[in-house]
Amino acid sequence: MPAVAEMLKATEAAVVSRVSLRDINRVIDERILPDAFVSLDNGRHVLAGACSFITFYFESAKRLTSEERLFAIKTAGPRLTRSRALAWAALLREDWIVRDEFLTIDLLPFVKGTSERLDDLAAAREIVWTSDDILGGTPVIRGTRVPVYDVSAAVVAGRPIQRILDAWPSLDAEKVRLAAIYAEANPLRGRPRVSGDLPEGATIVTDRRVPRRRKAG
């Protein structure tokens, strides 16, 4: 999986943190995270390990005040700084309990969740292959000629998993899930490119809108 100290793109951080890209930008703009966990060089990036703090901040919003959440992040921040050179397995053995008078917050569940989603991100990266010799460099599922973004578009459109697997027999449910994660973490700019090299019966999904016909008269 990505190392604790890896800097994730904002879109990747959104997937790992289970929040929107808008929330990631808010975390950066409002300096919810310590400056050491954010980079603005060549685009916005967030420390992989700090995604646990982002998840905590938004998921605990209904139970804790903003001041309490910021206190927890500020208190736990130095622990992450000291541990950023550790492997994730070691990080999970660290003490992630924060105390402030009567308030006790355990951040370990959020660290564990981040670790699991980083595993998914790493697996999603691994199944994607790009080669100029395959569909002109279109990202495909490794070992196939199936475009990743076509599979993801079908998932986003709500196509039943069996229908997707019928369209692309070389895939399985796990590859479909990972393709959707990869596409969300690495969104295309503009309209998605649609490949014509699909098996018979496959459904191509795009974001193109067809104008409604106006009734005569």
Side-chain angles (χ1 to χ4, degrees), residues 144-164:
T144 76
R145 295 175 63 85
V146 179
V148 172
Y149 292 98
D150 285 355
V151 176
S152 173
V155 173
V156 172
R159 298 292 188 270
I161 183 62
Q162 191 55 53
R163 184 175 176 183
I164 296 174

Side-chain angles (χ1 to χ4, degrees), residues 13-142:
V15 170
V16 173
S17 303
R18 290 195 305 193
V19 300
S20 68
L21 180 59
R22 180 178 180 180
D23 286 334
I24 295 297
N25 287 324
R26 177 187 167 190
V27 163
I28 295 173
D29 293 337
E30 296 182 11
R31 306 183 77 172
I32 291 171
L33 288 179
D35 291 343
F37 300 155
V38 173
S39 172
L40 301 180
D41 296 333
N42 298 317
R44 295 184 161 205
H45 294 78
V46 174
L47 187 80
C51 288
S52 54
F53 294 164
I54 298 174
T55 305
F56 159 73
Y57 184 84
F58 288 102
E59 290 192 359
S60 62
K62 292 183 179 180
R63 297 187 178 184
L64 301 173
T65 66
S66 176
E67 290 77 11
E68 290 168 338
R69 287 176 284 151
L70 291 173
F71 170 80
I73 292 174
K74 181 179 179 180
T75 301
R79 302 181 193 178
L80 180 58
T81 298
R82 292 192 300 269
S83 306
R84 61 192 298 171
L86 299 177
W88 273 100
L91 196 71
L92 293 173
R93 294 193 292 268
E94 295 290 300
D95 178 15
W96 291 104
I97 294 179
V98 174
R99 295 181 177 86
D100 179 32
E101 297 181 354
F102 63 87
L103 181 65
T104 300
I105 301 172
D106 187 1
L107 295 174
L108 182 59
F110 301 98
V111 178
K112 286 182 176 178
T114 295
S115 173
E116 292 168 359
R117 290 187 293 277
L118 283 168
D119 274 337
D120 282 343
L121 178 61
R125 289 173 175 176
E126 183 63 27
I127 70 161
V128 176
W129 178 255
T130 302
S131 171
D132 291 339
D133 296 330
I134 302 177
L135 303 182
T138 298
V140 298
I141 305 296
R142 188 180 295 272

